Amino acid sequence: RIIESVAAALRAVGVADPEVQLDWPGEYAHGDVTTNVALVYAKELQESPRNLAERIVANLPEISGVRIVTVAGPGFINFFYAPEI
């Protein structure tokens, strides 16, 4: 769901055929999963990675099971899962 949502947000900000990869950060403070897509596509869209990451997050649809989405550092997007009930 996260990959599909990030791809939709990338299309909304102007990336025609986005590829999204998720990674598992080494520290919990950096989320349950993270992506560097803003760093990957920033040059193509001619804007800073951090600004692009913020625009991607602003265009994300609601993602079931995700509690918080943050932008960190130069443009990483971090996802924190909602606790199970």
Side-chain angles (χ1 to χ4, degrees):
R1 293 178 283 205
I2 293 173
I3 289 173
E4 293 167 1
S5 296
V6 173
L10 281 164
R11 285 189 291 277
V13 300
V15 177
D17 190 23
E19 291 185 28
V20 178
Q21 180 179 354
L22 298 178
D23 294 305
W24 287 262
E27 296 181 35
Y28 176 74
H30 298 158
D32 293 300
V33 293
T34 188
T35 185
N36 68 345
V37 293
L39 287 90
V40 172
Y41 290 107
K43 188 172 184 177
E44 176 182 323
L45 297 177
Q46 298 179 355
E47 64 182 291
S48 77
R50 176 112 187 160
N51 184 59
L52 179 56
E54 291 170 357
R55 289 196 322 123
I56 292 167
V57 170
N59 281 280
L60 278 174
E62 184 175 328
I63 305 169
S64 176
V66 172
R67 175 176 51 96
I68 297 172
V69 180
T70 64
V71 174
F76 293 97
I77 302 172
N78 301 326
F79 297 85
F80 295 83
Y81 297 138
E84 293 185 35
I85 298 175

